[in-house]
């Protein structure tokens, strides 16, 4: 039998989760290690819900490239093995292209220790938060570091209202893992300072509002700027959400994103109160809580204008076959081809600060619906928050991500499914040659 993932929950005595000091399960612990050369492919379920599976190479095919060449000749369909809509020839017993890439990755024993991280946190009120962080690949091997980081912090206010603070950070550059780790620790340190004098509870004058989020970002920026490490060309994006049953407050810099799945009533008259939950009409919508901070005059014109006014230069590095610029817009100094960042806000990146990069967050508050407001008696209806680094959003749309979360039975199941989908998309679109670090945080809020 395949081993199950162990998801370490924070203890009530020490509710602050410290990813670097906890024992994580790795994906190599999740998948089985038994291999066969049988023509029929053997699959294994690593845990309940969405799963990783391992398959054998068909005996008649000598190499991975032979199998991939064979699969690409088939029609596009849903693969019976990895359940991904990719090229598959499952009717002949062969796994699809994605399955073969993932199999090759899992056979690679060079994965660093604690490269992947899993965490689940829950509250008696029904709120559940789960995070999955998977390190990436470059070329033929695993990256040296998973440069993503995160925290999950349960907070109790003086009114005993349950809250969660969740943060996701995406490091970049040579010391990106240092920047993202510093960001996580600085946010948690500031939260601790707010709660110590309140006996473990957040004092009223530090209420969970936008001003608190702004203080957290300012503190983190000061910590990173004063740290003794060369962060001239390294930094981290961030998205941090304060979540309660009534609202979600998000602050962010860079291209890590957060979206919210809202349940809205379609019937608001008195007759709705007498209808059963089977006939009550509701509407589910996906609301973007964040917008990317990129030096992109097409998709982010306000950010592009801001950095050019500050003296930065925007350009693209690649050209197509006809010599036309292509690829992402990047931020450069006015007179030099450096640093070439694809984001316009982040922590660190000290050289880019001369070209208009800032660590000033945007902050947005979104009220959430209650069960009473939509007159629904169902106890399994959730508002959902999904946060992720660009390793998730590169290939997965907001609607697709939320559809998966709405179909999951728990935040844990949703986070696992989204991380798995993102990794499969990287494998498929880049033909197994590269995969970004992927971090997904999901919060389930029952309608209160």
């Amino acid at each position: 039998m395949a081993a199950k993932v162990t998801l370490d929950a924070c203890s009530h005595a020490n509710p602050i989760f410290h990813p670097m000091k906890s024992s994580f399960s790795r994906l190599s612990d999740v998948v089985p290690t038994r291999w066969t050369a049988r023509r029929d492919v053997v699959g294994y379920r690593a845990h309940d819900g969405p799963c990783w599976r391992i398959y054998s190479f068909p005996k008649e095919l000598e190499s991975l490239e032979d199998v991939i060449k064979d699969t690409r000749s088939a029609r596009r369909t849903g693969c019976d093995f990895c359940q991904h809509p990719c090229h598959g020839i499952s009717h002949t017993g062969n796994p699809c292209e994605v399955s073969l890439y993932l199999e090759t990755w899992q056979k690679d024993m060079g994965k660093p220790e604690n490269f992947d991280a899993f965490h689940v946190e829950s509250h008696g009120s029904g709120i559940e938060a789960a995070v999955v962080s998977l390190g990436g690949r470059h070329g033929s091997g695993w990256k040296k570091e998973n440069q993503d980081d995160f925290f999950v912090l349960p907070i109790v206010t003086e009114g005993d209202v349950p809250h969660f603070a969740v943060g996701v950070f995406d490091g970049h550059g040579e010391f990106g893992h240092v920047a993202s780790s510093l960001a996580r620790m600085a946010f948690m340190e500031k939260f601790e300072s707010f709660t110590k004098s309140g006996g473990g509870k957040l004092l009223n004058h530090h209420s969970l509002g936008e001003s608190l989020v702004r203080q957290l970002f300012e503190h983190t920026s000061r910590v990173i700027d004063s740290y003794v490490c060369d962060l001239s060309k390294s930094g981290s994006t961030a998205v941090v959400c304060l979540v309660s049953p009534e609202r979600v407050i998000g602050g962010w810099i860079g291209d890590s994103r957060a979206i919210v799945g809202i349940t809205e009533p379609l019937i608001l008259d008195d007759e709705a109160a007498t209808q059963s939950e089977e006939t009550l009409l509701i509407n589910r919508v996906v609301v973007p809580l964040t917008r990317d901070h990129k030096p992109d005059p097409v998709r982010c014109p306000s950010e592009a204008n801001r950095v050019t006014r500050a003296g930065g230069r925007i350009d693209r590095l690649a050209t197509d076959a006809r010599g036309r610029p292509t690829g992402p817009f990047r931020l450069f100094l006015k007179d030099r081809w450096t640093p070439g960042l694809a984001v316009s806000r982040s922590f660190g990146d000290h050289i880019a600060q001369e070209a208009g990069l800032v660590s000033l967050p945007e902050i947005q508050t979104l009220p959430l619906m209650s069960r009473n407001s939509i007159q629904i008696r169902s106890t399994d209806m959730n508002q959902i928050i999904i946060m992720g680094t660009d390793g998730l959003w590169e290939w997965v749309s907001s609607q697709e991500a939320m559809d998966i979360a709405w179909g999951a039975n728990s935040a844990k199941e949703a986070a696992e499914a989204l991380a798995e989908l993102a990794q499969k998309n990287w494998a498929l679109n880049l033909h197994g040659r590269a995969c970004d670090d992927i971090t997904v945080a999901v919060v389930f809020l029952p309608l209160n």
Side-chain angles (χ1 to χ4, degrees):
M1 293 294 291
K4 289 189 176 182
V5 180
T6 300
L7 295 167
D8 299 325
C10 302
S11 66
H12 294 291
N14 182 23
I16 295 180
F17 177 61
H18 195 304
M20 302 306 293
K21 294 183 179 179
S22 297
S23 59
F24 297 126
S25 298
R26 297 172 296 174
L27 280 183
S28 56
D29 299 327
V30 179
V31 299
T33 56
R34 183 162 64 92
W35 305 88
T36 78
R38 294 166 52 191
R39 175 69 179 178
D40 57 319
V41 180
V42 181
Y44 298 80
R45 184 170 291 275
H47 50 72
D48 295 335
C51 67
W52 285 94
R53 303 178 185 178
I54 288 295
Y55 305 99
S56 64
F57 287 112
K59 187 175 182 179
E60 291 84 352
L61 297 173
E62 296 181 354
S63 69
L64 174 63
E65 292 301 322
D66 291 336
V67 179
I68 292 173
K69 182 178 179 180
D70 194 16
T71 61
R72 285 177 179 169
S73 66
R75 61 185 178 87
R76 190 168 182 84
T77 183
C79 175
D80 292 337
F81 297 96
C82 75
Q83 303 304 313
H84 193 281
C86 54
H87 292 283
I89 48 175
S90 55
H91 60 279
T92 67
N94 293 337
C96 72
E97 181 179 347
V98 170
S99 296
L100 294 169
Y101 290 136
L102 297 181
E103 179 183 28
T104 303
W105 292 1
Q106 293 309 316
K107 290 175 66 177
D108 185 348
M109 303 305 293
K111 181 181 290 188
E113 187 176 0
N114 294 336
F115 200 52
D116 303 322
F118 306 81
H119 181 69
V120 172
E121 185 77 48
S122 59
H123 186 271
S125 64
I127 300 178
E128 180 191 3
V131 186
V132 174
S133 184
L134 307 179
R137 290 181 63 85
H138 181 71
S140 60
W142 297 107
K143 295 168 61 178
K144 293 187 298 182
E145 302 278 355
N146 180 349
Q147 293 190 311
D148 286 1
D149 213 329
F150 66 89
F151 71 83
V152 180
L153 178 62
I155 302 171
V156 179
T157 64
E158 288 191 341
D160 290 328
V161 178
H163 293 74
F164 273 100
V166 183
V168 171
F169 309 94
D170 184 358
H172 52 261
E174 182 180 0
F175 300 108
H177 60 290
V178 176
S180 61
S181 179
L182 281 172
R184 172 196 31 95
M185 290 188 291
F187 271 93
M188 293 168 59
E189 175 187 64
K190 194 64 173 176
F191 267 118
E192 284 186 292
S193 71
F194 288 158
T195 58
K196 278 182 179 178
S197 59
K201 294 183 179 181
L202 196 67
L203 300 178
N204 282 338
H205 64 276
H206 291 309
S207 60
L208 291 174
E210 293 187 1
S211 61
L212 176 62
V213 176
R214 191 169 290 105
Q215 290 181 59
L216 292 167
F217 272 85
E218 291 172 353
H219 169 76
T220 301
S221 183
R222 288 193 298 268
V223 168
I224 291 177
D225 286 346
S226 62
Y227 189 73
V228 183
C229 178
D230 183 11
L231 297 179
S232 58
K233 293 185 179 181
S234 300
S236 177
T237 68
V239 56
V240 176
C241 289
L242 305 183
V243 182
S244 73
E246 294 80 23
R247 61 181 177 173
V248 55
I249 304 170
W252 72 98
I253 54 175
D255 57 0
S256 293
R257 299 179 194 168
I259 60 175
V260 183
I262 300 290
T263 301
E264 295 182 327
L266 292 181
I267 302 177
L268 295 177
D269 55 30
D270 294 338
E271 182 182 354
T274 64
Q275 295 189 30
S276 69
E277 59 186 69
E278 287 78 20
T279 59
L280 179 64
L281 297 178
I282 60 172
N283 183 40
R284 284 173 163 174
V285 296
V286 181
V287 180
L289 189 64
T290 65
R291 59 176 183 174
D292 289 353
H293 294 142
K294 289 179 172 290
D296 189 327
V298 178
R299 297 182 179 180
C300 311
S302 60
E303 279 296 288
N305 290 335
R306 183 186 63 77
V307 298
T308 53
R309 289 197 303 269
R313 179 169 58 90
I314 298 172
D315 211 328
R316 290 185 284 186
L317 291 174
T319 57
D320 61 16
R322 297 182 179 181
R324 297 172 300 190
T326 187
F329 290 94
R330 298 181 180 275
L331 180 63
F332 299 93
L333 297 178
K334 197 167 187 178
D335 56 351
R336 283 181 286 169
W337 287 96
T338 189
L341 273 180
V343 295
S344 55
R345 301 193 194 197
S346 70
F347 293 124
D349 293 308
H350 299 147
I351 286 181
Q353 292 175 8
E354 302 174 26
L357 180 131
V358 296
S359 59
L360 180 69
E362 280 196 86
I363 302 173
Q364 180 164 288
T365 299
L366 184 65
L368 299 176
M369 304 291 290
S370 68
R371 183 180 292 121
N372 291 335
S373 66
I374 65 173
Q375 300 172 315
I376 189 169
R377 288 186 283 275
S378 173
T379 59
D380 60 358
M381 196 73 69
N382 295 297
Q383 316 277 25
I384 299 176
I385 296 96
I386 301 175
M387 304 162 59
T389 59
D390 64 344
L392 168 66
W393 305 114
E394 183 71 23
W395 309 108
V396 181
S397 70
S398 296
Q399 185 65 56
E400 184 179 12
M402 194 58 69
D403 286 343
I404 290 173
W406 275 325
N409 294 316
S410 65
K412 168 181 173 291
E413 182 179 313
E416 290 170 345
L418 288 169
E420 181 177 352
L421 176 63
Q423 195 170 55
K424 286 177 177 178
N425 270 289
W426 280 97
L428 178 65
N429 286 282
L430 297 186
H431 308 297
R433 292 190 295 267
C435 178
D436 197 3
D437 302 329
I438 300 164
T439 299
V440 184
V442 179
V443 181
F444 271 30
L445 282 161
L447 288 171
N448 58 351

